[in-house]
Amino acid sequence: GLQGGCWPAMVRQDILAVMQVARFLHNHPLSGAPDPAEQPAYWHEYFRDGACQWKSLIAIACARWTRDHVRVICAARSAAPDALSQLEHECTECHLLFATNVALQSHQARVHGKRNRYRKHALSTECQACLKQFWQRERLIQHYKNSRCGPLVLEHGATVDDGMLQNMDAEAAHEARRNIHAGRNPRFAAKPCMQAQGPRRCAAFYV
């Protein structure tokens, strides 16, 4: 068996530690992986075919260790590093720290499968509640987040199905990259916001 301080035992302990990180991640294949001592063939195949996934897990595990230990080290030295002090946005799933909210949201979408809850209500570029036309879907989503329309749309607004949502998100990502390459804001719209006319879809607006 893998006992004592032999190097296979130490490797097994490292693998088990990284598996703990995988359990925090959204649908990660290692979240239910077997113990390397019981099924070494599984891990042989994974290291051969899933090197990139393993590398990203190692990076996340190291970041978690840094978060848990750097504060203790800095407290002992009575000096907090500038880099750590700038990491103010914490992921509620895996507790990694990020410098900006944008970086945090990107991480949550990529690693944990989380998406902005208003995205399913952005059917076009027009607000379902107040009928403002933004000409750009990301600007509409930002409007939902920062205005009273957001809660009303969440409660009363129409939504798109997951397949359509993926297509719309892919199109929005392509548009954002195109704007960045052109030296513009990712949420650039060719026309200014305007107030459209017509019946408001959210019943709560009539109350």
Side-chain angles (χ1 to χ4, degrees), residues 74-99:
C74 294
R77 297 181 178 177
S78 300
D82 293 338
L84 186 63
S85 63
Q86 295 175 2
L87 303 179
E88 301 175 349
H89 303 271
E90 182 175 1
C91 176
T92 56
E93 297 288 332
C94 64
H95 305 291
L96 287 180
L97 299 174
F98 297 88

Short mmCIF file of all heavy atoms in Angstrom, two decimals, residues 74-99:
data_model
loop_
_atom_site.label_atom_id
_atom_site.label_comp_id
_atom_site.label_asym_id
_atom_site.label_seq_id
_atom_site.Cartn_x
_atom_site.Cartn_y
_atom_site.Cartn_z
N CYS A 74 1.63 37.59 6.18
CA CYS A 74 1.74 39.05 6.20
C CYS A 74 1.46 39.61 7.59
O CYS A 74 2.08 40.59 8.01
CB CYS A 74 0.77 39.66 5.19
SG CYS A 74 1.18 39.27 3.48
N ALA A 75 0.51 38.99 8.30
CA ALA A 75 0.23 39.46 9.65
C ALA A 75 1.44 39.27 10.54
O ALA A 75 1.75 40.12 11.38
CB ALA A 75 -0.96 38.70 10.21
N ALA A 76 2.16 38.17 10.33
CA ALA A 76 3.36 37.93 11.14
C ALA A 76 4.43 38.95 10.84
O ALA A 76 5.20 39.34 11.71
CB ALA A 76 3.88 36.52 10.87
N ARG A 77 4.45 39.41 9.59
CA ARG A 77 5.46 40.41 9.20
C ARG A 77 4.96 41.84 9.33
O ARG A 77 5.68 42.79 9.04
CB ARG A 77 5.89 40.16 7.75
CG ARG A 77 6.57 38.80 7.56
CD ARG A 77 6.97 38.62 6.12
NE ARG A 77 7.67 37.35 5.91
CZ ARG A 77 8.08 36.91 4.73
NH1 ARG A 77 7.87 37.65 3.66
NH2 ARG A 77 8.71 35.76 4.62
N SER A 78 3.69 41.97 9.75
CA SER A 78 3.05 43.30 9.92
C SER A 78 3.09 44.13 8.64
O SER A 78 3.30 45.33 8.67
CB SER A 78 3.74 44.08 11.05
OG SER A 78 3.64 43.36 12.27
N ALA A 79 2.91 43.46 7.51
CA ALA A 79 2.90 44.18 6.24
C ALA A 79 2.07 43.40 5.24
O ALA A 79 2.36 42.24 4.97
CB ALA A 79 4.31 44.37 5.70
N ALA A 80 1.01 44.02 4.70
CA ALA A 80 0.17 43.36 3.69
C ALA A 80 0.68 43.73 2.30
O ALA A 80 0.93 44.90 2.02
CB ALA A 80 -1.27 43.82 3.84
N PRO A 81 0.85 42.77 1.41
CA PRO A 81 1.34 43.07 0.06
C PRO A 81 0.29 43.85 -0.73
O PRO A 81 -0.90 43.62 -0.58
CB PRO A 81 1.57 41.69 -0.54
CG PRO A 81 0.64 40.80 0.20
CD PRO A 81 0.58 41.35 1.60
N ASP A 82 0.74 44.73 -1.61
CA ASP A 82 -0.19 45.52 -2.41
C ASP A 82 -1.06 44.64 -3.28
O ASP A 82 -2.24 44.91 -3.48
CB ASP A 82 0.59 46.51 -3.28
CG ASP A 82 1.29 47.57 -2.44
OD1 ASP A 82 0.86 47.78 -1.28
OD2 ASP A 82 2.26 48.16 -2.93
N ALA A 83 -0.47 43.57 -3.83
CA ALA A 83 -1.23 42.71 -4.73
C ALA A 83 -2.42 42.08 -4.03
O ALA A 83 -3.52 42.01 -4.58
CB ALA A 83 -0.32 41.63 -5.30
N LEU A 84 -2.22 41.62 -2.81
CA LEU A 84 -3.31 40.98 -2.09
C LEU A 84 -4.37 41.98 -1.67
O LEU A 84 -5.55 41.70 -1.69
CB LEU A 84 -2.77 40.24 -0.86
CG LEU A 84 -3.80 39.39 -0.11
CD1 LEU A 84 -4.31 38.27 -0.98
CD2 LEU A 84 -3.21 38.85 1.17
N SER A 85 -3.95 43.18 -1.30
CA SER A 85 -4.90 44.18 -0.85
C SER A 85 -5.84 44.63 -1.96
O SER A 85 -6.91 45.15 -1.70
CB SER A 85 -4.16 45.40 -0.28
OG SER A 85 -3.39 46.03 -1.30
N GLN A 86 -5.45 44.41 -3.22
CA GLN A 86 -6.28 44.80 -4.34
C GLN A 86 -7.30 43.73 -4.72
O GLN A 86 -8.20 43.98 -5.51
CB GLN A 86 -5.40 45.10 -5.55
CG GLN A 86 -4.49 46.30 -5.34
CD GLN A 86 -3.53 46.51 -6.50
OE1 GLN A 86 -3.57 45.77 -7.48
NE2 GLN A 86 -2.66 47.49 -6.39
N LEU A 87 -7.17 42.53 -4.15
CA LEU A 87 -8.11 41.45 -4.46
C LEU A 87 -9.30 41.52 -3.52
O LEU A 87 -9.34 40.88 -2.48
CB LEU A 87 -7.39 40.10 -4.34
CG LEU A 87 -6.13 39.93 -5.21
CD1 LEU A 87 -5.52 38.57 -4.98
CD2 LEU A 87 -6.48 40.13 -6.68
N GLU A 88 -10.27 42.33 -3.90
CA GLU A 88 -11.40 42.63 -3.01
C GLU A 88 -12.67 41.86 -3.36
O GLU A 88 -13.62 41.89 -2.60
CB GLU A 88 -11.70 44.13 -3.06
CG GLU A 88 -10.52 45.00 -2.64
CD GLU A 88 -10.82 46.47 -2.82
OE1 GLU A 88 -11.85 46.78 -3.45
OE2 GLU A 88 -10.04 47.30 -2.34
N HIS A 89 -12.69 41.18 -4.51
CA HIS A 89 -13.91 40.51 -4.96
C HIS A 89 -13.73 39.00 -4.82
O HIS A 89 -12.89 38.40 -5.48
CB HIS A 89 -14.21 40.89 -6.41
CG HIS A 89 -14.33 42.37 -6.62
ND1 HIS A 89 -15.53 43.04 -6.49
CD2 HIS A 89 -13.40 43.31 -6.91
CE1 HIS A 89 -15.35 44.32 -6.72
NE2 HIS A 89 -14.07 44.53 -6.98
N GLU A 90 -14.54 38.39 -3.94
CA GLU A 90 -14.38 36.97 -3.61
C GLU A 90 -15.50 36.14 -4.22
O GLU A 90 -16.67 36.50 -4.16
CB GLU A 90 -14.38 36.78 -2.09
CG GLU A 90 -14.17 35.34 -1.67
CD GLU A 90 -14.05 35.20 -0.16
OE1 GLU A 90 -14.14 36.23 0.54
OE2 GLU A 90 -13.87 34.07 0.32
N CYS A 91 -15.13 35.02 -4.82
CA CYS A 91 -16.09 34.08 -5.37
C CYS A 91 -16.75 33.32 -4.22
O CYS A 91 -16.07 32.74 -3.37
CB CYS A 91 -15.41 33.10 -6.32
SG CYS A 91 -16.52 31.83 -6.98
N THR A 92 -18.08 33.30 -4.20
CA THR A 92 -18.80 32.63 -3.12
C THR A 92 -18.75 31.11 -3.25
O THR A 92 -19.07 30.40 -2.29
CB THR A 92 -20.27 33.08 -3.10
OG1 THR A 92 -20.85 32.83 -4.39
CG2 THR A 92 -20.37 34.57 -2.80
N GLU A 93 -18.36 30.60 -4.41
CA GLU A 93 -18.31 29.16 -4.63
C GLU A 93 -16.98 28.56 -4.17
O GLU A 93 -16.95 27.61 -3.39
CB GLU A 93 -18.54 28.84 -6.11
CG GLU A 93 -19.91 29.25 -6.62
CD GLU A 93 -21.02 28.37 -6.09
OE1 GLU A 93 -20.74 27.20 -5.80
OE2 GLU A 93 -22.15 28.85 -5.97
N CYS A 94 -15.87 29.11 -4.67
CA CYS A 94 -14.55 28.53 -4.36
C CYS A 94 -13.66 29.47 -3.56
O CYS A 94 -12.53 29.14 -3.24
CB CYS A 94 -13.84 28.12 -5.65
SG CYS A 94 -13.45 29.51 -6.74
N HIS A 95 -14.16 30.71 -3.29
CA HIS A 95 -13.47 31.68 -2.43
C HIS A 95 -12.17 32.22 -3.02
O HIS A 95 -11.33 32.75 -2.30
CB HIS A 95 -13.20 31.08 -1.05
CG HIS A 95 -14.42 30.54 -0.38
ND1 HIS A 95 -15.44 31.37 0.08
CD2 HIS A 95 -14.83 29.27 -0.14
CE1 HIS A 95 -16.40 30.63 0.61
NE2 HIS A 95 -16.06 29.35 0.48
N LEU A 96 -12.00 32.11 -4.33
CA LEU A 96 -10.87 32.79 -4.96
C LEU A 96 -11.12 34.29 -4.95
O LEU A 96 -12.26 34.75 -4.96
CB LEU A 96 -10.71 32.30 -6.40
CG LEU A 96 -10.14 30.90 -6.60
CD1 LEU A 96 -10.05 30.58 -8.09
CD2 LEU A 96 -8.78 30.75 -5.96
N LEU A 97 -10.03 35.06 -4.93
CA LEU A 97 -10.13 36.51 -4.88
C LEU A 97 -9.74 37.11 -6.24
O LEU A 97 -8.84 36.62 -6.91
CB LEU A 97 -9.20 37.06 -3.80
CG LEU A 97 -9.51 36.59 -2.36
CD1 LEU A 97 -8.45 37.08 -1.41
CD2 LEU A 97 -10.89 37.07 -1.92
N PHE A 98 -10.42 38.20 -6.61
CA PHE A 98 -10.18 38.86 -7.88
C PHE A 98 -10.09 40.37 -7.69
O PHE A 98 -10.68 40.93 -6.77
CB PHE A 98 -11.30 38.52 -8.88
CG PHE A 98 -11.37 37.06 -9.21
CD1 PHE A 98 -12.14 36.21 -8.43
CD2 PHE A 98 -10.67 36.53 -10.27
CE1 PHE A 98 -12.21 34.87 -8.71
CE2 PHE A 98 -10.72 35.19 -10.56
CZ PHE A 98 -11.49 34.35 -9.79
N ALA A 99 -9.37 41.02 -8.59
CA ALA A 99 -9.14 42.46 -8.47
C ALA A 99 -10.36 43.27 -8.88
O ALA A 99 -10.58 44.36 -8.37
CB ALA A 99 -7.93 42.87 -9.31
#
